Structures are given as C-alpha cells and as structure tokens.
C-alpha cells in the first residue's frame, strides 16, 4: 500500500489492515490521534511531566485491544475512552502512593469565614433596602430574574407580557437600582 493510500484511508480501514498485521496502518492511526490525546493529558495534568508515559501506555492498550474495537463507535471515541481510563488509573495509582495521612486530609473548606459572612449579610441587607425602594413591578422583575433565576421567557410567560417588554423593564429596573446604589454611596 502506498503512503498516500494510508493517508486517505479511513480509521476503520486502517484498523482492519492493522489487525491483518500491517504495522504501517497502526502507525498512521497513532499519528492521527497522538497530538489530541497528548494534549488531553497535558491539560488534565497541568503540565507535560507524565503525559508522554500516559500517551505510550494508552497506545499500548489500543494496540493490544485493537481486536475489541467495535465499528459502532468512531475510532477516536474508542481511543479517547481508553485514554480517559488510563488517566483514571494513573490518578488512582498516585493516590495509593500517598502516605495515609495525606490521603485523608480534609480538603480546604469553601465555607465563608465569619468576616465574609458578615459582609455578605451587610450586602444582602443593602440590596433588600434598595429593592424596597423600587416600584412593585420592577421589584418583582428583579426578584424573579436575579433571585429566583427565571429566564426572560419564563418571566414573560408567568406575567403574560411580551418578551421584549420583560427585557426592557428588567433593564430599566437594573438601571434604577444602580442609580440608587450610586446615590446612596455618595451620601
């Protein structure tokens, strides 16, 4: 088979040829997916330290298990699955290599400190103060959009208003609230 034939051959044909003992076909499969899998490992590892080893381990598994490849999936999906599982195994091995006291240390807490909780409470009461100063319609729109997290479409449906009207009124309500906040900071 000519080099050009390998280049234009689809993955399934190359797999078939590789299973028949054509090493060049497997080499072309490797070359097609090498960079993508390598970059996946670099991205997940945050660097290149072990990416080469994981790439090699992945394609050894691909070669050994090539007879298990099913044409129900694209070859790329199949290789990616092997790469993902190889990475998971790598992470587990590294976890097992850690001393027991490092394995079971509690992760850093995302809970706010007492100071952050106090600041959040202050900010919340300020926002509620400004909300109370809005007209009832604007207050309702701000609460639905930003506190209850309704989409514009959901708000329009619940209030039986055109979508454009809802967007305009929410924009005006935000502007009014921002003006009150700025004026409140000046005084």
């Amino acid at each position: 088979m000519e080099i050009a034939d390998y280049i234009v051959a689809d993955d399934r044909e190359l797999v078939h040829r590789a299973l028949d003992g054509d090493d060049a076909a497997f080499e072309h499969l490797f070359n097609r997916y090498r960079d993508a899998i390598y970059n996946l490992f670099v991205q997940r590892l945050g660097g290149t330290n072990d990416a080469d080893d994981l790439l090699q381990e992945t394609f050894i598994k691909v070669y050994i298990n090539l007879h298990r490849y099913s044409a129900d999936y694209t070859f790329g999906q199949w290789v990616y699955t092997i790469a993902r599982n190889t990475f998971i195994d790598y992470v587990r091995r590294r976890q097992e290599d850690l001393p027991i006291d490092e394995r079971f240390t509690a992760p850093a807490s995302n809970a706010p400190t007492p100071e952050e909780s106090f600041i959040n409470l202050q900010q919340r009461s300020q926002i509620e103060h400004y909300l109370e100063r809005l007209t009832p319609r604007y207050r309702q729109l701000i609460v639905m959009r930003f506190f209850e997290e309704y989409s514009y479409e959901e708000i329009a449906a619940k209030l039986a208003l055109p979508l454009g009207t809802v967007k305009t009124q929410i924009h005006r309500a935000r502007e009014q609230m921002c003006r009150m906040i700025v004026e409140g900071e000046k005084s």
Side-chain angles (χ1 to χ4, degrees), residues 9-164:
D10 69 1
D11 292 345
R12 289 184 181 141
E13 183 179 343
L14 291 174
V15 167
H16 180 70
R17 290 183 174 280
L19 287 170
D20 287 341
D22 187 343
D23 292 334
F26 186 79
E27 183 179 344
H28 280 278
L29 285 169
F30 172 76
N31 289 335
R32 282 186 186 172
Y33 294 97
R34 173 189 54 212
D35 292 340
I37 300 299
Y38 180 80
N39 290 333
L40 172 77
F41 290 138
V42 169
Q43 179 185 13
R44 294 224 173 143
L45 292 168
T48 60
N49 289 352
D50 295 324
D52 287 321
D53 292 339
L54 289 171
L55 180 69
Q56 183 177 11
E57 186 177 340
T58 297
F59 277 94
I60 289 171
K61 290 178 182 177
V62 168
Y63 187 78
I64 291 170
N65 294 294
L66 197 57
H67 66 280
R68 293 184 173 173
Y69 168 67
S70 168
D72 294 341
Y73 304 99
T74 67
F75 187 73
Q77 290 171 321
W78 188 69
V79 171
Y80 175 80
T81 301
I82 292 173
R84 187 188 71 224
N85 291 338
T86 301
F87 182 77
I88 291 168
D89 292 343
Y90 165 82
V91 170
R92 284 185 186 140
R93 283 192 308 265
R94 288 206 34 185
Q95 187 70 21
E96 290 169 2
D97 291 343
L98 289 175
I100 191 107
D101 55 338
E102 287 182 35
R103 256 190 264 169
F104 296 106
T105 55
S109 173
N110 290 335
T113 64
E115 294 83 8
E116 291 170 331
S117 295
F118 180 73
I119 290 169
N120 289 340
L121 184 62
Q122 271 187 324
Q123 289 173 337
R124 175 93 180 167
S125 66
Q126 285 176 334
I127 289 171
E128 288 172 358
H129 168 75
Y130 293 119
L131 270 175
E132 290 301 317
R133 294 178 54 197
L134 289 174
T135 63
R137 164 67 90 194
Y138 282 176
R139 183 178 326 119
Q140 179 185 26
L141 290 168
I142 292 289
V143 167
M144 288 177 80
R145 178 72 180 131
F146 299 104
F147 292 91
E148 296 172 354
E149 298 181 355
Y150 284 105
S151 69
Y152 290 112
E153 292 79 8
E154 291 170 324
I155 294 170
K158 283 194 179 281
L159 299 179
L161 292 171
L163 182 61

